[in-house]
Amino acid sequence: MKLHGYFRSSAAYRVRIALNLKGLGAEHLPHHLRKGEQCAPAYLAINPQGLVPTLENDAGAVLTQSVAIIEWLDETHPNPPLLPKEPLRRAKVRAFALAIACDTHPVQNLKVLARLRELGLPEEKVQDWAAWVNREGLSACETLIRNEPGPFCFGDMPTLADLCLVPQLANARRFGVDVSAYPRLLQAEAAAKALPAFADAAPEKQPDAE
Amino acid sequence: MKLHGYFRSSAAYRVRIALNLKGLGAEHLPHHLRKGEQCAPAYLAINPQGLVPTLENDAGAVLTQSVAIIEWLDETHPNPPLLPKEPLRRAKVRAFALAIACDTHPVQNLKVLARLRELGLPEEKVQDWAAWVNREGLSACETLIRNEPGPFCFGDMPTLADLCLVPQLANARRFGVDVSAYPRLLQAEAAAKALPAFADAAPEKQPDAE
């Protein structure tokens, strides 16, 4: 398989963790987002959104959108599972993941922040925006799992929720958010980062890290 | 079941369509987003994000995030299915849905537009922002299904993709986007709107419509 990504993309980071947990190797093809490489015609031909990640499977099929890719990996390589078996528990895990993947990450991604700068917003306000988005999202996430058993987001195994949480916490810190306000999220992050699958997927461990 | 929503929320609209397709009744509990009713403590207690929709099932369990709710409805009430059976096809449908649910809708929702106004952006620029987000998202979606068989987004039955597309096209028009640039999306929308499940879920048909 081939994973088109970028070391700092939190959506690509989610898929790197999933591949590692499933024990699947992939050739990593970095696209430098800050240099606009994701807008090259050859890349847009496989990912018309001009976003990373994109996964090409061994048969050459193209998959986009990190959460869709992870659901596919989980359906085609069921062990270890990234979602619980019981429908209501699956819904809880997905809701937590989507609170990050829908309402948090896309509102503070590179494209949106660039647009804010184009509109004339000073850099300090752009950074404030990103920090605000992260605080809103993580604060809701803290409440969503406050009463869930740990150490992971939902119990004693990592799920799609942890795959979304760990990269988002990295973003939040980068934007200066005081994450000590989210002790339950930090508990889950600590449990996840103790696993090589998470540690090896970290941005600073990638070949294109700067 | 009880569905907490708002007539104009495109995320609630997706779930209304899913309930109708599955033939499931629900008591509709409107929360007036423009009056901030979604931030009432009683609502935040069940949805800490302060977003609609929220679904309460007959056992009183609380489900949030429209895509997670729809996946749960599909797992617990499999007919008619809202996702294909084959994993790669499921991934394609989910990727299309998430291109809207992650990268389009949340970047132009009420909360984000209100924040832009707070930052001092004039109303015209706020509307431009919303139109830009819709054009970026829908244009990618048009490419994603350009070569898929119709009349729906993915073949001859509506899927999660159509449930996300129809409400987003309504948003796009509201923000003045010229949707004639997306003929394949309009083909899918026309097929969907011919079904009572879609027609009855439209914002203007809801009891709280203004």
Side-chain angles (χ1 to χ4, degrees):
Chain A
M1 289 195 283
K2 294 177 186 174
L3 179 66
H4 298 262
Y6 178 56
F7 76 104
R8 200 181 264 156
S9 155
S10 57
Y13 187 176
R14 296 171 197 154
V15 177
R16 292 197 299 263
I17 302 168
L19 289 167
N20 291 348
L21 282 168
K22 301 287 189 185
L24 298 168
E27 181 186 354
H28 289 263
L29 302 171
H31 298 263
H32 200 297
L33 301 194
R34 286 183 188 272
K35 293 182 183 160
E37 292 180 0
Q38 73 282 16
C39 298
Y43 187 67
L44 287 176
I46 61 165
N47 186 320
Q49 288 193 277
L51 296 173
V52 293
T54 301
L55 186 73
E56 294 186 65
N57 77 2
D58 291 334
V62 170
L63 295 99
T64 60
Q65 284 287 340
S66 63
V67 172
I69 294 171
I70 294 166
E71 294 259 9
W72 176 81
L73 284 169
D74 205 39
E75 289 175 355
T76 54
H77 301 83
N79 290 308
L82 299 177
L83 285 170
K85 286 215 184 307
E86 199 277 313
L88 258 180
R89 299 296 296 162
R90 295 165 74 82
K92 292 275 182 196
V93 170
R94 285 193 177 115
F96 180 99
L98 294 173
I100 291 173
C102 294
D103 295 311
T104 309
H105 173 247
V107 192
Q108 54 94 87
N109 72 7
L110 207 62
K111 191 172 183 173
V112 165
L113 301 187
R115 185 75 176 187
L116 288 172
R117 289 184 190 103
E118 280 170 33
L119 286 168
L121 221 60
E123 191 54 34
E124 188 194 329
K125 295 273 189 191
V126 173
Q127 297 294 317
D128 281 356
W129 171 285
W132 164 70
V133 173
N134 274 279
R135 279 195 308 269
E136 290 281 307
L138 294 176
S139 156
C141 284
E142 174 79 10
T143 306
L144 285 172
I145 62 166
R146 191 194 289 146
N147 298 319
E148 291 292 336
F152 294 97
C153 288
F154 291 88
D156 59 4
M157 294 281 284
T159 63
L160 174 62
D162 303 277
L163 270 59
C164 291
L165 173 64
V166 169
Q168 196 60 47
L169 279 170
N171 277 5
R173 287 191 186 93
R174 198 146 47 82
F175 292 119
V177 173
D178 175 10
V179 297
S180 71
Y182 316 118
R184 182 64 185 83
L185 301 184
L186 295 181
Q187 179 197 22
E189 184 195 37
K193 285 193 158 177
L195 301 177
F198 282 79
D200 295 345
E204 62 273 17
K205 295 278 189 74
Q206 306 315 303
D208 59 325
E210 290 167 1
Chain B
M1 290 195 282
K2 294 177 186 174
L3 179 66
H4 298 263
Y6 178 57
F7 76 105
R8 199 180 266 157
S9 156
S10 56
Y13 188 177
R14 296 172 198 154
V15 176
R16 291 197 300 262
I17 302 167
L19 288 167
N20 290 349
L21 283 169
K22 301 288 188 185
L24 297 168
E27 180 186 355
H28 289 262
L29 303 171
H31 298 263
H32 200 298
L33 301 194
R34 287 182 188 273
K35 292 181 184 162
E37 290 180 2
Q38 73 282 18
C39 298
Y43 187 67
L44 288 176
I46 61 165
N47 187 320
Q49 289 193 276
L51 296 172
V52 293
T54 301
L55 186 75
E56 295 186 65
N57 77 1
D58 290 334
V62 171
L63 294 100
T64 60
Q65 284 288 339
S66 63
V67 172
I69 293 171
I70 294 166
E71 294 259 8
W72 176 81
L73 284 169
D74 206 39
E75 289 176 355
T76 54
H77 301 82
N79 290 309
L82 299 177
L83 286 170
K85 288 215 184 308
E86 200 276 313
L88 258 180
R89 300 296 297 162
R90 294 165 74 82
K92 292 275 182 197
V93 171
R94 285 191 177 117
F96 180 99
L98 294 172
I100 291 173
C102 294
D103 294 312
T104 310
H105 173 247
V107 192
Q108 54 95 85
N109 71 8
L110 206 64
K111 191 172 184 174
V112 164
L113 301 187
R115 185 74 176 190
L116 289 172
R117 290 185 189 102
E118 281 170 33
L119 285 168
L121 221 60
E123 190 55 32
E124 189 195 327
K125 295 271 189 192
V126 173
Q127 297 293 318
D128 281 355
W129 171 285
W132 163 70
V133 172
N134 275 280
R135 279 194 308 269
E136 290 280 306
L138 294 177
S139 157
C141 284
E142 174 79 10
T143 306
L144 285 172
I145 62 166
R146 191 193 290 147
N147 299 319
E148 292 293 335
F152 294 97
C153 289
F154 291 89
D156 59 4
M157 294 280 285
T159 64
L160 174 63
D162 303 277
L163 270 60
C164 291
L165 173 64
V166 169
Q168 196 61 45
L169 279 170
N171 278 5
R173 288 192 186 92
R174 197 146 47 82
F175 293 119
V177 173
D178 175 10
V179 297
S180 71
Y182 317 117
R184 182 63 185 84
L185 301 184
L186 294 181
Q187 180 197 21
E189 185 195 37
K193 284 192 158 176
L195 301 177
F198 282 79
D200 295 345
E204 62 273 17
K205 295 277 190 74
Q206 305 315 302
D208 58 326
E210 287 168 2

